[in-house]
Amino acid sequence: MDRLTVLAVRPVYRLISWTGWKNDNDKLPSDISVSDIDIPLEGRSLKAQLFEPQDKDTARNNALLVYFHGGGMCCGGADTTHYKCMQVYASKLKCTVIGVNYRLAPECPCPGGVNDCIDSAKWVKENMASSFASNGKMVVGGDSAGGLTSIATSCAIPEHLSGTILFYPNTCYDDGTFESWRVHAKGHALTADMVNMFLRNHLGMPAKDFEEKSDSELVSKAFPLRTPESIVKGMAPSFLVTCEYDILQDEQLAMKKKMEQAEVKVEHHHYSAEHGFMCTEGRNANFEDCLGKLSEWYEKL
């Protein structure tokens, strides 16, 4: 039943995201070129979108951004408004952006999609000098589940990264310690039923069972909050965004605390907003404010 639910949710997810941006199509930047690329990895090849400033000299002055979309590890990609968001990010940050279409669950359960993100970032870094405009630095980032894979990537290849962008990331599950799971379980953009459905599809079993049956490396890829502090310590400086009406808020704040305890530099911004506002609501006031703060942070890398 969960698998059928995910298949039904995917078109709804696309519809909701496109509806949120329907009045902002005329606000898409005209200075960005968009093309499709393939990322060849061991045993598979992934599709990705390349967003490049038409002024290549501008892009050569800034870090390249590898972006991982959200969607519970089960939805999202080039057919949602992440496509539009990445155009805006490329224009505002004046950088090359590569949006990775990692494999989705349940067809590809954990850790498949997470490994796709880690390996894609490695591939981009290896080919950056010859194929993509940048100043030699690379940042990974993403929203929701894409924040999860960004943390996993930052922990896996810290030597390759100069920054990590985390828009309201998934970091754990309802283990009974997060009050936001009680307060915001229903009536919001992201509900407890939705998160648990995504988790079951991504993990192939209830989250608690997965944690109990898996080794520490696999658990860290599913739940970044469980990553040992010794590994978190290597993460690149991070830009973290949390939302007031987000069921995941407390686990995100727990991740922030863990990162700061591990001496990772975290710039944190909190918005009176719903989970998903940076990709599903269009260019509203919160979006523009966050984008401005992100641009200031990005310039300092």
Side-chain angles (χ1 to χ4, degrees):
M1 180 61 71
D2 274 342
R3 184 186 180 99
L4 294 176
T5 302
V6 164
L7 296 178
V9 164
R10 286 175 180 169
V12 175
Y13 184 90
R14 288 194 294 270
L15 177 62
I16 292 173
S17 62
W18 283 104
T19 299
W21 275 75
K22 67 179 182 179
N23 295 323
D24 290 325
N25 287 326
D26 60 343
K27 298 179 183 178
L28 291 176
S30 60
D31 60 339
I32 301 299
S33 298
V34 185
S35 59
D36 295 328
I37 63 171
D38 293 314
I39 297 180
L41 302 175
E42 184 176 355
R44 74 248 193 234
S45 180
L46 302 180
K47 298 293 183 182
Q49 282 68 50
L50 174 64
F51 304 85
E52 297 180 292
Q54 293 169 4
D55 181 356
K56 294 293 183 66
D57 288 337
T58 296
R60 292 188 184 100
N61 291 326
N62 295 296
L64 180 149
L65 171 60
V66 179
Y67 195 85
F68 308 128
H69 64 80
M73 301 301 297
C74 301
C75 304
D79 58 352
T80 66
T81 50
H82 291 95
Y83 187 87
K84 296 185 178 183
C85 295
M86 285 184 277
Q87 291 182 59
V88 176
Y89 300 157
S91 180
K92 183 67 174 181
L93 303 180
K94 299 179 175 60
C95 73
T96 301
V97 177
I98 296 176
V100 178
N101 292 306
Y102 54 84
R103 292 171 295 169
L104 301 176
E107 296 89 340
C108 180
C110 186
V114 179
N115 287 341
D116 284 351
C117 293
I118 296 170
D119 293 345
S120 293
K122 290 179 181 177
W123 180 87
V124 171
K125 184 64 176 181
E126 291 168 359
N127 292 275
M128 193 162 61
S130 61
S131 302
F132 309 114
S134 76
N135 63 2
K137 297 179 180 180
M138 186 172 77
V139 174
V140 295
D143 58 284
S144 195
L148 180 159
T149 62
S150 295
I151 297 173
T153 301
S154 191
C155 288
I157 56 169
E159 69 279 9
H160 293 322
L161 301 179
S162 296
T164 310
I165 300 170
L166 305 172
F167 294 141
Y168 35 83
N170 297 83
T171 72
C172 198
Y173 65 95
D174 183 15
D175 64 1
T177 65
F178 305 120
E179 182 62 20
S180 59
W181 270 85
R182 315 279 90 73
V183 176
H184 302 304
K186 297 180 180 181
H188 292 284
L190 188 66
T191 67
D193 287 344
M194 292 169 64
V195 178
N196 286 325
M197 180 270 293
F198 286 139
L199 285 169
R200 289 192 299 271
N201 274 274
H202 183 219
L203 306 176
M205 65 185 75
K208 184 177 180 180
D209 294 345
F210 184 89
E211 181 171 23
E212 292 175 350
K213 296 177 180 180
S214 304
D215 62 36
S216 60
E217 181 179 357
L218 187 54
V219 168
S220 295
K221 289 181 176 180
F223 314 122
L225 186 58
R226 301 296 196 240
T227 306
E229 186 174 310
S230 59
I231 297 176
V232 172
K233 191 176 183 69
M235 284 185 66
S238 299
F239 183 91
L240 172 66
V241 172
T242 57
C243 309
E244 183 65 27
Y245 307 110
D246 187 357
I247 189 173
L248 307 180
Q249 179 187 166
D250 286 352
E251 62 186 68
Q252 294 158 3
L253 294 177
M255 189 72 214
K256 172 179 178 284
K257 181 178 180 180
K258 185 165 195 170
M259 292 163 67
E260 290 176 335
Q261 288 177 338
E263 300 180 346
V264 177
K265 294 182 180 179
V266 181
E267 181 171 321
H268 176 218
H269 298 281
H270 185 71
Y271 286 87
S272 179
E274 293 278 356
H275 183 97
F277 80 92
M278 283 300 289
C279 60
T280 60
E281 297 181 8
R283 301 190 69 167
N284 59 22
N286 283 332
F287 180 96
E288 296 294 351
D289 184 82
C290 185
L291 188 62
K293 289 181 170 62
L294 175 63
S295 178
E296 293 174 1
W297 175 83
Y298 210 84
E299 289 177 358
K300 300 172 186 177
L301 295 177

